[in-house]
Amino acid sequence: MMQSMMESSVQPEPQVTDGMYRSSNEHGDRLELEKVRRELVYINTIGKRFVAAIDRFHVHRALLFALQELYSFSACCILLKDKPVELFIIPCQPLSAAFIEDMLQRIVNAAHVIDFPSLSVTQLISSAYFDAPDEVAQYRTQEAIECTEIGSVLNIPLIVENHIIGMLSLFDELVGTFDTEMLHFTTMIADYAAVALDNVRLRENENALWRQAEFERQRLELVIRSMAEGLLITDAKGLVTSLNHSARQLFAQAQITLQDTSSFRIKDLAIAEEKPWLARLAHIIDEVLTDQTITNQELIVGESGESVPLTLNISAAPLHNASGVTPRPIGVVAVINDVTSNKQVEKLKDEFVSIVSHELRTPLTAIKGYTQHLIRRIERRIRKNQTGVIEHPAAVSDLPESQDLRNLYIVQSQTDHLERLVNELLDLSQVQNGQLVLQYSTFHLADVLSDTIHSVQVSSEQHTIYLDIQTPDTLIKADRSRIAQVIGNILDNAVKYSPHGGQITVLLQRQAQEYLISITDQGIGIQPDQLAHIFERFYRVRNTASRQYAGVGLGLYVAKAIVEQHGGKIGVNAHPGTGTTFYFSLPCTPD
Ligand code: ATP
Ligand code: MG
């Protein structure tokens, strides 16, 4: 154990030994026994006080009480090595500034000896606290005269399990106050104090951590409670352990009454309420409990007869404990949103598109018809005025009609473009409303492919389109014009998104009862993160390059709807810069 340091004239006392209290005669024995008894009572009393101390100020009081049984002194100081360093000054009588200054200097000097090499007086001043337990301190005089000079000092390291945690320093104005006789008691008291202070420090740290954790818990609870989204949390068995206010409101909107306190399983609720959307929600929770993440699943809650039924959007993820090492999720966290108003807006948009495209069709047909009529008339008139054989009437540039004709050709091509757009919008509303009706007939898929390729090829000299038919039999029962539309839409894209031309390969194969068609270009390709979206309506890849390509983002959406309506599947493989392959399958004969 570290030696105590006494700056006054007294020498350190030898260690307490077993024979210390023995004496040679009976009277002496009795006296000695009495002394031991008193010491035991003393040790017991101070021990109890230290054990009962609940904070550092209780420890200070216990320490003062114990020390003042032994000595009368001017001040007691406790230096704690903790980060940051702390110094508690417990004065037992008024201390002059000079006394305090000297005290601090002596503490620093002693601290250097016992493992505080970098401590300075300035540092001590900034970390010093006065603790003046008036009710305990026994002032030496009633008048409490201010001490000005230090006469004796006793420094004892505070040790816990062989670690120095601080230092106890006692100061007195008189010389020779600290008796070597009492040194082993003082050391023992310091040991008690050290353990008690260490316990208090541990308890304070623990309390601080607990307070922090509690604060975080309350903050999280507040965030969850005030979230606009519904939040549902389950345990590993799918038992709902937490449901925030918004989630409760959503359940209430769906006419589901929940008990306020008890936890429940969505599965049981689904059985009790007989609601398909609850069964779907229970299924989602089961799926997530197998460690899958579900995003943006829509649950139609309201009755299907309603114009826009209450619709919830749910995303759910598995919960793992903080270490993340559990093989199975310990629960599910699901976020639920009411997306009914979005659906209402979408419905309005769809209705608007449907009405507008219908309304546009009539004037468009008239414009197309009259343009066609005018073109024919002018072409006839020009032919009548020509003597030689002229390939194209508009090629004769010096006739006034020729300019009119060229302008009419522009009107015609723009009208065709407008008609394609209106048709796409009409197709969109048909798909949206489930009104895409197929007119089945039996035909050769190879014919439709070559017809469509031909019409695309004539408008693009930069590209070479190859048709590779790898099956002798290409007979299919399907909607011919719709299949031509699918091939046309994909081929249009292949041409449009290969601005530098190149080869486009159309491959037809047969696999069992299915035809497989793939269309590969050498164009700009598609980023992998965009692939999942390109079949969505109005979706166009947004980058600086794609801005130059005209389109509204409906071609693939309609193509997908047509293929799926036939019972087939459509997909894409693409790499940026190396081209794209679209493929789709069609059953040879529909079910
Ligand atoms: P439109 O409605 O006129 O067809 P669009 O061509 O933009 O317009 P889609 O055909 O649905 O719409 O295609 C969606 C998006 O997918 C395109 O905007 C384009 O970004 C991307 N895309 C489609 N085909 C290809 C392709 N062959 N190469 C590269 N990108 C493509
Ligand atoms: Mg397109």
Side-chain angles (χ1 to χ4, degrees), residues 420 424 489 492-493 496-497 550-551 553-556:
R420 249 200 65 211
E424 271 192 348
N489 285 0
D492 273 352
N493 284 348
K496 184 160 60 171
Y497 300 109
L554 283 176
L556 291 178

Side-chain angles (χ1 to χ4, degrees), residues 227-247:
M227 266 172 73
E229 290 84 7
L231 193 82
L232 180 151
I233 299 172
T234 78
D235 65 7
K237 291 184 179 142
L239 211 65
V240 177
T241 51
S242 178
L243 201 65
N244 74 348
H245 178 68
S246 303

Side-chain angles (χ1 to χ4, degrees), residues 36-80:
V36 171
R37 199 190 63 79
R38 270 195 284 119
E39 282 180 5
L40 280 175
V41 169
Y42 169 68
I43 291 166
N44 188 27
T45 317
I46 61 166
K48 275 188 193 160
R49 280 183 166 248
F50 278 118
V51 169
I54 52 163
D55 60 26
R56 59 183 67 219
F57 301 104
H58 279 90
V59 179
H60 295 170
R61 277 153 187 73
L63 185 63
L64 212 58
F65 168 83
L67 291 171
Q68 284 184 336
E69 287 284 309
L70 305 180
Y71 318 103
S72 166
F73 50 86
S74 310
C76 159
C77 293
I78 300 159
L79 176 69
L80 291 176

